[in-house]
Amino acid sequence: MKRHSIGKRFRKLKGLRKADPNAVIPETPKQLQDYIETLTAQGVYINKVKYAIFQTKNGLKYPGLIASEKILSNETLVSVPKDLLLTTRHAFESPLKQMFLDHPQYFSNQFYPSWEDHQLMAFILYEYQRGPESEWHLLISNLPRDIDYLVFWSHEEQDLLDDEPLVKLARKQYQEFLIEFETLKCITDKYPQLFKPETVTLENARWVYTHLVTRCFGKYLAYVTMVPFCELFNHECTDVFYDFEYNADNPHKSEESEQAQVKELKEDEELSVTSSEGSYHSEDEISDSEYVIETYEQYKEFDFDEFSEQSTKKFYEEFSKILDIKQQQNEEQEQINQVLDNQQDEELQNKKMKDLQEQQIKMKKDFNIKLNLQREVFLLSRDCKTFIFQNIDYGDNYSIFFIGQMFSKLDKSIQEYINGGKAYFMAREEVKRIQLTSNTYKNNLYAFQKDIMKKPIYQNNYFQQKRSKSQNSTLDNAEQILSQPLDPECEYYKPVWEKDKFDRFVMKAASKDQFEKGAQVYFCYGRLSNRMMLMRYGMSLEYNKYDHAHLRIEYLKYIQSNEAIWLVHKYQLSKYKRFKLKHSTFPIDLIVFCKSIYWTFNVHSLDTFFKIQDLKLERRALQLALEILIEEIQKFQDKLEDNEKLLYDNTLGYHEYFAVIYRLERQRIYHHNINLIKICIVVIDRMLDGVPFEQATEKTQFDYEYCETNRIILKKYFEQMRYALYLPK
C-alpha cells in the first residue's frame, strides 16, 4: 500500500530524486567559487553536490545543488566545522556588545521575541561595511540581493494569491518590519564610530532581514545560525536533514550521535508513507479571526433571583388579600356577636382566628419550601452549565451545537418544573442526566481530538486564550519601543553565552533517501504548507503533500438553538469555524461539524456525534459537507485548468508564478476532498441498499485512477462504516 501513498504519487509526478534533464551545470560564479575554495581550505566537506541552474515549468531560472554522483541513504552531503557558523553569540560578543547592553528594549528577549534577528541584523550590517577585513566577508557577500518573500511583494502581486487573510498578515508584518528598521536606525545613529551613514539603509536592512527569515537555521541549535554553503539547498518534500557530529574525545558525544551506515536502497524501499526523518512539524500561525460583537435580544438567560423576588412579591400580595378577606369576615362576625352577646360564638370566633394564624404559617412554610426546591433545581442546572463551561470549549468546531441543546433542555426542565408541568424529582433527575450526558460528550470529544485529530487537550477555555492573545497591543514606533522602562534589578542578557557542544554541522540524506546523478538535491525545511512557505521563503510548491487549504464557514446560519446563538454573542466567539483541507487526510472534522448540525438529543445516540453509528445521519452530514465545498470552490476567480495552463506562461515573473501555484494547489485540494466525499456518499448509498461492505467499498466513478491512494486515505473512515453496518438497529 505504501506504493500508492499520496507522497509517493506526488514524488512520481514531480520526478523528485530523479535526474533533471533541464538542469545546467554552469561555470560557478567567481565570487561563489572563491567562497567554496576558502571554505574547503577551512575544513568544510562537500560531497557529491555541485552548484547548478534549474528552471520552473515556464522557464524561470534559479540556482540550487545537483547530485554529481548517485547519493546513497545516510550519506553526508555537507559537513561544516562549528567555528565557521555565524550565530547570535558572535553578534553579542562583538564590538556591538555595549550597544546591545544599552538598548535591551530592542535586543533582549525580555522585550522582543525576535531579539536574535535584531542582534544579527545589526551585526551583519556592521560586518558588511567592513568589506574584506571582516572574517564573514565571503559569507555576507554571497548573500544574493534578488530574493525576497511575501512580506516584500507589491500589493498587486499579493492580491494574485486570492487569500485575504494571508495578504492581511503579510502587510501587517511589513509594517512591523518598518518599525523594527526605524528602531534599529534610531539606535545605530547614536554610534557613528560603529556604523557609517550609508550602512543602515532600508534597502540593506531588507536584504539582511530577508536572509535572516529565509536562510537561517535554529530549530535544534542553541542560537539562530547562518551555515556557510548550506543556504544553496532549495526546499522540497524530501528527507535530507541537518544533524550534529562529535569528535571521539568530545564529552558530549552519545550513542545517538553515531553515524548511520551508508547503503543503497532497492526500488521498493525508497520511502515509506510516514517517513519524516529529520523533518519537523510546523504550524500555520495565521490568525484571521473576526468576532461576534453584536447583542442578541431574542433570548434572555433565566434569572432566579429576579424570579424569586417576583414570586415572593406575588405571594405576599395574594397573602395580604386572603388576610384582608378573613379579617373582614371576623369583624362582621364580631358585630353579630355583640348583638347576640353569645359566649359560644365568641369561642368559635377565637378558634377561627387561631385557624387563620395556623393557615398563614402553613402558607408561608409551603411557599418557602417550594421556593427552596425551585432554587435547588436551578442551582443544579447552574452547576451543570458551569461544568460544561469549564470542560468543553465553546469555540471549537462542534461543541456549540451540543451545548446549545443542553442549555435548552436545562432551561426547559426548570420552566416545566416551575410551571407545574414536571415533578420535583423528575426535574432533578433530568438535570443530573444532562450532566452525565455532558460528561460523556466531554470524554468522547477529548478522545476524538487526541486519537483522531491528534490535537492537544486544553484544560482551560482555549477560545478565551485566543481572544486575549489576539487583543494584545503592539508598539507603533521606535520612540515607544525605546522608551519602555527598564528594571535595574533585571538581567536582560544571560551572563554566559556557551559555545555549541557539537563539533561539526552536517547535512545528510535520510535512511530512506537517495538521489540519482543529475537530480536536484533538496533539503526539507520542515512540514510546511504553501501558505507558510510564502510567508517564510517567498515560494510555493506544486504537489506539496504538506499543503492545506483553509476553509472558513459562517456557522451561525446553521444554529437552530436560541441558547447557542446567545452563547456565541455573550462570549463574543469567532464568526467562523475553520478547517484545514489536506491532500493526505479525509476531512473528518468537517464531517463531524456537519453532523453536529443535524444531531438531536434524545433522537441520536451520543456515540453518533463523533463516530459512525447512523448511516442515514452520516449521509446527511456528507451531503452538507459536499455542498459547502462546492460553494467554496465556485468562489475562485479562475478555473483549475486555467491555472494549470498558466504555469507554462513564460511571461510570468517569479512572484506571479508562485501565486499561480498557490491558487492551483488550493483548488486541487478542494477537488480532491470533494471527490473523497463523493466516494463516501456512493459507498454509504450502496450499504443502505444492502450491498455487502467489501463490495460497497470497491472502486467508484469518483476514484478515477487513484483508487488505491484514496483507499489509504479513507481506510479508518471505512472501518467505522463497517462497524456501523453491523450495529443492532
Side-chain angles (χ1 to χ4, degrees):
M1 294 293 281
K2 292 176 182 178
R3 298 183 182 185
H4 302 290
S5 71
I6 199 76
K8 186 84 169 181
R9 172 181 147 196
F10 285 174
R11 284 193 297 276
K12 286 185 177 180
L13 286 170
K14 294 191 282 188
L16 288 183
R17 307 187 185 90
K18 303 297 182 183
D20 184 346
N22 297 316
V24 176
I25 303 178
E27 182 178 352
T28 306
K30 185 179 185 309
Q31 186 170 253
L32 178 59
Q33 185 59 40
D34 292 344
Y35 183 33
I36 293 173
E37 290 175 0
T38 301
L39 290 174
T40 303
Q42 293 174 328
V44 173
Y45 170 69
I46 301 174
N47 178 43
K48 296 185 179 181
V49 292
K50 286 185 176 181
Y51 175 83
I53 298 295
F54 303 89
Q55 66 180 38
T56 61
K57 284 183 175 181
N58 70 336
L60 294 170
K61 305 292 192 296
Y62 65 94
L65 295 175
I66 196 169
S68 57
E69 301 176 41
K70 182 171 184 177
I71 295 174
L72 307 180
S73 64
N74 297 322
E75 275 200 281
T76 295
L77 306 177
V78 181
S79 175
V80 183
K82 70 174 181 180
D83 292 338
L84 300 182
L85 306 179
L86 172 55
T87 72
T88 319
R89 184 181 64 83
H90 292 95
F92 188 76
E93 298 297 347
S94 73
L96 304 183
K97 184 173 184 177
Q98 188 58 50
M99 184 181 77
F100 297 152
L101 294 174
D102 292 343
H103 299 89
Q105 299 99 325
Y106 187 72
F107 295 111
S108 168
N109 66 348
Q110 302 290 329
F111 288 92
Y112 246 111
S114 54
W115 64 280
E116 288 190 90
D117 288 345
H118 294 171
Q119 289 194 20
L120 280 170
M121 183 158 61
F123 178 70
I124 291 172
L125 288 171
Y126 170 77
E127 292 293 330
Y128 159 71
Q129 70 184 356
R130 298 180 63 211
E133 295 181 4
S134 169
E135 66 173 299
W136 307 104
H137 170 65
L138 286 174
L139 185 154
I140 296 171
S141 61
N142 276 280
L143 298 176
R145 286 183 176 265
D146 59 352
I147 68 168
D148 62 7
Y149 64 109
L150 183 60
V151 167
F152 297 117
W153 289 17
S154 70
H155 283 198
E156 292 76 14
E157 291 167 334
Q158 291 173 345
D159 289 338
L160 293 173
L161 298 170
D162 195 17
D163 187 338
E164 184 180 346
L166 178 59
V167 171
K168 182 179 178 181
L169 177 68
R171 293 174 184 175
K172 176 176 177 289
Q173 289 196 5
Y174 179 69
Q175 294 303 318
E176 291 172 353
F177 161 74
L178 291 178
I179 293 171
E180 292 179 29
F181 162 70
E182 290 170 2
T183 307
L184 178 64
K185 177 69 174 169
C186 182
I187 294 172
T188 55
D189 284 350
K190 301 176 183 178
Y191 299 86
Q193 74 278 17
L194 295 175
F195 291 93
K196 299 175 183 177
E198 67 274 13
T199 299
V200 185
T201 65
L202 182 61
E203 180 184 352
N204 285 341
R206 172 175 164 168
W207 164 55
V208 174
Y209 192 82
T210 295
H211 284 281
L212 291 174
V213 171
T214 63
R215 293 293 183 265
C216 279
F217 295 76
K219 177 74 174 182
Y220 300 112
L221 290 152
Y223 311 107
V224 173
T225 301
M226 280 189 155
V227 183
F229 186 80
C230 290
E231 70 271 9
L232 292 174
F233 283 96
N234 292 316
H235 167 73
E236 250 294 359
C237 298
T238 63
D239 283 335
V240 171
F241 65 102
Y242 70 84
D243 202 355
F244 312 120
E245 286 186 352
Y246 300 78
N247 294 334
D249 58 349
N250 190 323
H252 302 291
K253 182 181 177 67
S254 64
E255 292 182 4
E256 289 77 11
S257 64
E258 294 293 337
Q259 184 172 349
Q261 182 181 0
V262 176
K263 66 177 182 178
E264 184 169 2
L265 302 176
K266 298 178 182 179
E267 183 65 24
D268 59 355
E269 287 183 310
E270 222 171 284
L271 195 65
S272 72
V273 66
T274 57
S275 177
S276 58
E277 226 174 309
S279 300
Y280 47 85
H281 292 280
S282 176
E283 293 184 358
D284 222 323
E285 300 165 352
I286 296 176
S287 173
D288 55 353
S289 296
E290 296 177 33
Y291 299 99
V292 177
I293 58 175
E294 300 85 4
T295 57
Y296 183 70
E297 305 293 345
Q298 283 74 16
Y299 170 82
K300 184 179 180 182
E301 191 175 19
F302 180 71
D303 187 336
F304 187 83
D305 290 337
E306 181 182 340
F307 165 78
S308 175
E309 182 180 342
Q310 291 178 353
S311 296
T312 303
K313 180 180 179 181
K314 183 178 179 181
F315 168 77
Y316 279 105
E317 285 176 353
E318 294 294 329
F319 183 82
S320 297
K321 288 180 182 179
I322 294 173
L323 184 60
D324 290 342
I325 292 171
K326 292 292 185 182
Q327 286 179 343
Q328 185 177 355
Q329 291 175 349
N330 290 339
E331 289 174 358
E332 291 174 354
Q333 187 64 45
E334 286 179 3
Q335 292 175 359
I336 295 172
N337 291 343
Q338 289 176 2
V339 174
L340 298 177
D341 194 20
N342 189 322
Q343 182 68 29
Q344 185 177 358
D345 288 338
E346 185 176 348
E347 291 177 1
L348 180 61
Q349 183 63 21
N350 290 337
K351 183 177 185 303
K352 286 182 179 181
M353 286 293 295
K354 183 178 180 182
D355 290 343
L356 176 60
Q357 292 173 352
E358 290 176 353
Q359 184 181 1
Q360 291 173 349
I361 294 171
K362 184 177 185 305
M363 287 175 64
K364 290 181 180 180
K365 183 177 180 182
D366 289 346
F367 170 76
N368 288 328
I369 290 173
K370 181 180 179 181
L371 188 62
N372 287 334
L373 291 175
Q374 290 171 336
R375 179 180 284 107
E376 181 182 342
V377 173
F378 167 77
L379 291 176
L380 282 174
S381 172
R382 190 185 66 179
D383 290 345
C384 183
K385 290 182 178 181
T386 301
F387 170 84
I388 293 172
F389 183 84
Q390 292 176 344
N391 290 275
I392 301 174
D393 179 6
Y394 290 25
D396 69 23
N397 279 342
Y398 342 96
S399 295
I400 192 65
F401 296 94
F402 171 81
I403 294 170
Q405 292 193 47
M406 295 303 101
F407 276 39
S408 178
K409 289 294 293 182
L410 288 168
D411 289 352
K412 183 179 178 182
S413 182
I414 292 173
Q415 289 298 333
E416 287 180 345
Y417 170 56
I418 288 175
N419 295 333
K422 182 173 291 186
Y424 162 76
F425 76 91
M426 291 180 62
R428 182 184 175 92
E429 289 305 310
E430 185 160 23
V431 172
K432 289 183 177 179
R433 185 165 65 89
I434 292 172
Q435 178 150 347
L436 287 173
T437 300
S438 300
N439 188 56
T440 303
Y441 174 87
K442 179 203 75 171
N443 294 334
N444 291 351
L445 170 64
Y446 286 9
F448 175 76
Q449 290 177 329
K450 178 174 178 287
D451 300 333
I452 306 299
M453 300 306 299
K454 309 298 182 184
K455 291 182 178 179
I457 305 301
Y458 297 99
Q459 297 301 320
N460 297 322
N461 291 27
Y462 189 54
F463 73 88
Q464 288 187 315
Q465 296 175 20
K466 288 166 67 176
R467 285 284 285 154
S468 60
K469 180 180 178 181
S470 69
Q471 293 175 338
N472 285 343
S473 60
T474 56
L475 301 173
D476 296 327
N477 54 56
E479 183 180 356
Q480 289 182 5
I481 292 171
L482 297 178
S483 63
Q484 294 177 90
L486 299 178
D487 181 358
E489 303 298 324
C490 178
E491 292 187 6
Y492 290 106
Y493 301 94
K494 53 188 175 183
V496 179
W497 293 61
E498 295 183 355
K499 293 184 177 182
D500 292 311
K501 294 180 172 59
F502 58 88
D503 294 295
R504 302 181 72 85
F505 176 101
V506 295
M507 298 287 288
K508 300 177 67 174
S511 60
K512 293 187 177 181
D513 212 351
Q514 57 184 353
F515 295 83
E516 290 182 359
K517 180 180 179 180
Q520 182 170 181
V521 182
Y522 299 96
F523 161 56
C524 182
Y525 296 174
R527 297 181 179 183
L528 301 172
S529 68
N530 281 346
R531 214 179 198 195
M532 282 294 96
M533 282 199 295
L534 284 167
M535 284 302 301
R536 297 182 186 180
Y537 309 110
M539 59 172 283
S540 53
L541 283 183
E542 198 176 3
Y543 298 114
N544 175 10
K545 72 176 182 179
Y546 299 123
D547 196 18
H548 49 254
H550 288 255
L551 171 65
R552 303 195 311 171
I553 299 176
E554 294 188 57
Y555 62 96
L556 275 172
K557 61 184 177 182
Y558 296 111
I559 298 180
Q560 299 179 2
S561 163
N562 285 335
E563 288 81 359
I565 299 174
W566 172 77
L567 286 168
V568 171
H569 287 77
K570 177 178 174 63
Y571 295 107
Q572 297 187 343
L573 301 186
S574 172
K575 293 181 179 180
Y576 303 99
K577 298 300 182 187
R578 294 170 180 76
F579 304 88
K580 288 183 180 180
L581 304 177
K582 302 180 181 181
H583 286 296
S584 56
T585 58
F586 184 62
I588 185 65
D589 55 337
L590 173 62
I591 307 305
V592 171
F593 164 79
C594 294
K595 188 160 48 174
S596 67
I597 295 170
Y598 297 124
W599 184 89
T600 305
F601 183 53
N602 286 338
V603 174
H604 302 109
S605 73
L606 197 57
D607 288 341
T608 306
F609 209 104
F610 295 109
K611 298 178 182 178
I612 303 177
Q613 294 200 347
D614 185 327
L615 292 179
K616 292 182 179 179
L617 176 63
E618 200 71 23
R619 197 202 184 287
R620 290 184 71 191
L622 288 166
Q623 184 62 40
L624 177 58
L626 179 62
E627 293 169 3
I628 290 172
L629 294 190
I630 291 175
E631 181 182 346
E632 285 296 315
I633 203 168
Q634 290 173 346
K635 296 177 182 178
F636 283 90
Q637 297 178 7
D638 302 319
K639 292 183 178 180
L640 184 147
E641 297 79 11
D642 296 333
N643 281 323
E644 287 181 327
K645 291 177 183 177
L646 276 175
L647 290 180
Y648 296 91
D649 185 347
N650 58 15
T651 66
L652 296 181
Y654 294 96
H655 294 171
E656 294 89 348
Y657 182 80
F658 290 129
V660 172
I661 289 180
Y662 182 73
R663 297 196 308 267
L664 174 60
E665 287 306 303
R666 290 168 65 205
Q667 289 174 311
R668 283 172 172 167
I669 290 173
Y670 270 102
H671 280 289
H672 174 60
N673 280 267
I674 285 171
N675 283 336
L676 290 176
I677 292 173
K678 286 181 177 179
I679 291 166
C680 292
I681 290 175
V682 170
V683 170
I684 283 187
D685 285 344
R686 289 172 178 175
M687 293 170 66
L688 289 172
D689 289 340
V691 178
F693 175 79
E694 287 72 17
Q695 296 177 23
T697 54
E698 289 177 355
K699 185 176 181 179
T700 74
Q701 68 268 37
F702 303 109
D703 278 300
Y704 304 105
E705 67 270 31
Y706 304 121
C707 183
E708 292 87 355
T709 302
N710 293 335
R711 291 305 172 275
I712 293 174
I713 296 171
L714 294 170
K715 181 181 178 182
K716 291 184 177 180
Y717 192 69
F718 280 0
E719 286 175 354
Q720 284 198 39
M721 283 189 187
R722 183 203 295 268
Y723 175 75
L725 188 62
Y726 300 109
L727 284 174
K729 304 300 181 184

